Amino acid sequence: MNALNIALQQNQSQEIELSLPHDLKRKYSLNHTLAIQIAEQRQTIQNILDGHDHRLLVIAGPCSIHDEKSALEYAEKLKQIQSKISDQIFLVMRAYIEKPRTTVGWKGFLYDPNLDGSSNMQLGLEKSRQLYLQIIEMGLPIASEILSPMATAYFDDLLAWGAIGARTSESQIHREISSHMPFSIGFKNGTDGSIQIALDAIQSASHEHQFLAMSQKGTPCIMQSQGNPLAHLILRGANHGSNYDAESIQQIREQHQGHLPALVIDCSHGNSAKDPLKQPQVLQQIIAERQMTQVRGVMLESHLLDGQQKISCDMTYGQSVTDGCLGWDKTEQLLLNIAEQLSVQPLLRTA
């Protein structure tokens, strides 16, 4: 065998077929009642972002879901507290099944649900859709990050809100996909703090596009999107510091001629200096300055227990395996405190 043939063999990649999107949706189907529920939740989120609903949008949940049991326990706790704070806060569960990696590492529940490197993506697709349906059946809206373009067709009927991360806001394909999604999508500023990246993405996503995509039958197709009028800005801080305070937001407004899309603040990442236990003080300041900043929503990385852990054979139940999270007890108290503060604040002006 010559060197060329050896090189070609070494470069061959393994292909494993997966269920087609419409087959998975048929197997784990969304009934009519739940479809109406999701549509109403999407409309509520839009109303909040547009300023027609005075409540604060709060997207809370694990950095990344890694097991169904703890995710469902968290969802149940979120559901219980929603009834206590619903006049002031609209809760959406952060249910991320994909984890972007700077280099290498565990890519999320969708890719490796067994957390053992087996990368059983068929199982990941099935378990993820099953889990989403269970959370939705509790009455909770769910949110996720749009990461793999191939994955969107499997879950686009279930999400109430979506995010495009700091590393993908500049990606053309993510902007095109966002222009096709039937729910509100937030674009994060760049890791270097660049707001223009996100603003350009919002403008792009709001317009119609024709782009290559995968159909529900798993075949290549030309997608004709109508544009997403629900795109908005997420401020997540930067490598060099935060951007959630009133002074920073005012500087951003001045740099961009005074007009910004609806604002959602990520209380984690650069805004908390990557310390999950600082998220409460970030949120407290956001609420104190909300009349000036007109912030419509916030994101919290929260799980059953504080902190994070490495994937191992002896893991702590309810603790994140990716970014550190705020534990539930602190999250619950924070949400109750915030709801009380919001109840005595004047209503925000309609945007």
Side-chain angles (χ1 to χ4, degrees):
M1 184 178 294
N2 61 36
L4 177 59
N5 288 334
I6 293 174
L8 288 173
Q9 282 191 356
Q10 289 175 341
N11 288 330
Q12 285 180 347
S13 299
Q14 185 179 10
E15 294 182 359
I16 300 174
E17 292 188 357
L18 297 171
S19 293
L20 300 178
H22 75 123
D23 288 337
L24 195 72
K25 286 178 174 177
R26 186 163 53 235
K27 184 175 182 179
Y28 305 106
S29 60
L30 179 68
N31 65 44
H32 181 67
T33 300
L34 292 180
I36 293 175
Q37 171 187 301
I38 293 170
E40 291 174 346
Q41 291 165 341
R42 289 172 175 174
Q43 184 62 54
T44 297
I45 292 170
Q46 180 183 351
N47 291 344
I48 292 172
L49 294 172
D50 287 343
H52 302 310
D53 186 325
H54 75 277
R55 290 179 293 177
L56 181 72
L57 174 68
V58 176
I59 299 127
C63 171
S64 295
I65 286 174
H66 69 274
D67 80 277
E68 304 101 311
K69 184 178 179 182
S70 64
L72 290 172
E73 182 177 343
Y74 185 93
E76 184 58 42
K77 291 179 181 296
L78 209 63
K79 175 187 175 183
Q80 290 175 7
I81 196 172
Q82 174 67 93
S83 63
K84 301 176 183 178
I85 61 177
S86 59
D87 288 344
Q88 307 300 333
I89 292 174
F90 185 73
L91 287 174
V92 177
M93 180 165 169
R94 178 185 171 112
Y96 283 30
I97 53 176
E98 298 181 86
K99 173 63 180 174
R101 310 303 313 201
T102 303
T103 53
V104 293
W106 184 70
K107 295 181 180 179
F109 190 69
L110 170 61
Y111 295 84
D112 188 17
N114 294 324
L115 288 81
D116 59 2
S118 59
S119 298
N120 188 340
M121 294 186 198
Q122 177 63 41
L123 182 63
L125 284 169
E126 295 190 11
K127 282 194 166 188
S128 295
R129 189 162 174 92
Q130 283 180 291
L131 178 61
Y132 275 1
L133 286 169
Q134 287 177 281
I135 296 172
I136 290 167
E137 286 167 357
M138 292 182 182
L140 288 172
I142 57 174
S144 191
E145 179 174 345
I146 297 175
L147 188 58
S148 169
M150 296 290 289
T152 57
Y154 292 95
F155 306 106
D156 55 3
D157 57 331
L158 304 182
L159 300 182
W161 182 88
I164 304 295
R167 295 168 183 81
T168 44
S169 281
E170 207 166 4
S171 160
Q172 176 175 316
I173 185 60
H174 286 82
R175 295 174 178 188
E176 292 170 340
I177 289 170
S178 298
S179 75
H180 175 62
M181 292 296 102
F183 46 81
S184 301
I185 292 182
F187 287 87
K188 292 190 176 184
N189 64 261
T191 56
D192 64 352
S194 170
I195 304 299
Q196 193 61 52
I197 287 173
L199 294 179
D200 289 346
I202 291 167
Q203 182 179 1
S204 175
S206 67
H207 283 76
E208 63 180 33
H209 288 274
Q210 300 81 32
F211 60 98
L212 289 171
M214 179 179 69
S215 73
Q216 290 290 312
K217 296 182 179 179
T219 57
C221 69
I222 298 174
M223 189 71 71
Q224 171 71 55
S225 71
Q226 299 301 311
N228 190 334
L230 313 176
H232 54 279
L233 177 61
I234 302 174
L235 298 180
R236 48 85 74 198
N239 295 332
H240 55 75
S242 63
N243 60 7
Y244 66 88
D245 58 283
E247 182 179 354
S248 295
I249 293 173
Q250 181 58 31
Q251 289 176 355
I252 292 169
R253 282 203 170 95
E254 290 173 358
Q255 290 169 4
H256 299 282
Q257 289 75 52
H259 175 71
L260 288 178
L263 284 180
V264 171
I265 305 292
D266 184 348
C267 295
S268 187
H269 298 97
N271 281 329
S272 65
K274 298 185 177 181
D275 181 348
L277 300 186
K278 290 183 178 178
Q279 291 181 99
Q281 69 187 59
V282 173
L283 181 51
Q284 292 284 359
Q285 185 171 345
I286 291 169
I287 298 305
E289 299 176 340
R290 192 173 179 232
Q291 292 300 316
M292 293 180 285
T293 61
Q294 300 291 295
V295 169
R296 302 295 179 187
V298 297
M299 299 177 69
L300 291 171
E301 289 192 325
S302 163
H303 208 348
L304 299 178
L305 298 178
D306 288 338
Q308 65 190 122
Q309 63 184 323
K310 294 185 180 298
I311 294 175
S312 69
C313 296
D314 185 26
M315 292 194 297
T316 301
Y317 173 77
Q319 189 175 53
S320 174
V321 300
T322 48
D323 291 351
C325 292
L326 189 70
W328 175 255
D329 289 344
K330 295 183 180 70
T331 301
E332 181 180 34
Q333 191 58 54
L334 177 63
L335 292 173
L336 291 171
N337 291 343
I338 293 303
E340 184 176 356
Q341 292 175 47
L342 290 171
S343 69
V344 297
Q345 277 191 356
L347 298 183
L348 289 181
R349 299 186 307 272
T350 299

